[in-house]
Amino acid sequence: MNSKSLSDNSSSSAIFPGSFDPMTNGHFDIIERSLTLFDTLTIAILENSQKVPLFSVAERIALIEAECRRFNEKRVRVQVRSFSGLLVDFAKHEQCHIVVRGLRAISDYDYEAQMALMNKSLYRDLETVFLIAREENSYISSSIVKQVALLRGDITKFVPPGIKAAILQKLSQGA
Ligand code: ADP
């Protein structure tokens, strides 16, 4: 975890947590739109020992940083971190009280509402802000993109070019 928070008294900041294995156009759109609402955004990659990821946490950080470089040209607006344990503890550590999540279909709602309510009950100052996925991204998930790529389908429309290249390279290594 980073010891320095992106936020200061005069700027607004939010955390966008997730697995991002790998980042898709859906994630990217939520990041872009979050930056119209908040000055800075911390993308927080959950280190989840229960899932076998395609990309290591270090690889995911590097890939997302490369895709978000364009937002940091004038000043740092996006930082990428990893965390383990409770999101509320990470948020407290970052001195941030807003979490951004994307909502695709109504099927996301139950899980997301449960998480938001649990987080609120653990940390009452934490607010979860939901952004509705763009229609064209509403059927995209990291796992379905990985499945399509594994079956040699074309993933050009679903992920940024740098991520597509990384996925194809991973699969060519037998992942
Ligand atoms: P998690 O395992 O925490 O759901 P994901 O990486 O799958 O991690 O998703 C992180 C966040 O991004 C979640 O809020 C999810 O709803 C959102 N998200 C994922 N795919 C899309 C998409 N296509 N459009 C909008 N939001 C999305």
Side-chain angles (χ1 to χ4, degrees):
M1 276 193 225
N2 185 24
S3 59
K4 189 170 162 287
S5 166
L6 257 190
S7 60
D8 61 35
N9 291 337
S10 60
S11 67
S12 60
S13 63
I15 295 172
F16 182 30
S19 310
F20 305 101
D21 184 40
M23 181 195 196
T24 67
N25 287 346
H27 293 127
F28 193 78
D29 177 59
I30 298 294
I31 293 167
E32 212 167 23
R33 287 160 61 199
S34 296
L35 289 172
T36 68
L37 301 172
F38 306 103
D39 294 313
T40 61
L41 187 70
T42 297
I43 300 171
I45 301 177
L46 175 64
E47 293 179 27
N48 186 349
S49 55
Q50 284 165 0
K51 280 189 197 167
V52 180
L54 182 62
F55 292 97
S56 69
V57 168
E59 287 170 331
R60 277 177 269 167
I61 290 176
L63 288 170
I64 299 172
E65 278 178 346
E67 293 303 327
C68 292
R69 203 159 282 149
R70 71 188 85 169
F71 300 123
N72 291 338
E73 275 166 11
K74 292 193 188 122
R75 64 190 176 94
V76 177
R77 296 193 68 200
V78 176
Q79 66 174 2
V80 191
R81 297 286 178 262
S82 62
F83 75 104
S84 54
L86 290 173
L87 175 62
V88 292
D89 291 335
F90 179 74
K92 284 178 190 169
H93 179 271
E94 292 288 304
Q95 296 174 4
C96 185
H97 62 98
I98 300 173
V99 166
V100 174
R101 295 282 287 177
L103 274 183
R104 284 160 295 188
I106 202 75
S107 52
D108 279 347
Y109 177 82
D110 280 349
Y111 173 73
E112 292 293 342
Q114 189 181 22
M115 288 302 296
L117 289 169
M118 177 55 80
N119 286 335
K120 185 91 179 147
S121 118
L122 294 171
Y123 176 19
R124 70 190 166 95
D125 291 338
L126 195 75
E127 292 296 344
T128 304
V129 172
F130 293 105
L131 297 180
I132 302 289
R134 272 184 207 284
E135 210 177 337
E136 64 266 32
N137 294 331
S138 61
Y139 60 97
I140 301 174
S141 67
S142 299
S143 52
I144 203 163
V145 167
K146 284 185 282 190
Q147 282 178 36
V148 171
L150 198 59
L151 299 172
R152 298 174 189 278
D154 184 3
I155 56 170
T156 309
K157 279 199 300 188
F158 315 129
V159 290
I163 304 283
K164 177 186 167 185
I167 294 173
L168 296 184
Q169 191 188 5
K170 228 354 146 185
L171 295 179
S172 74
Q173 291 164 355

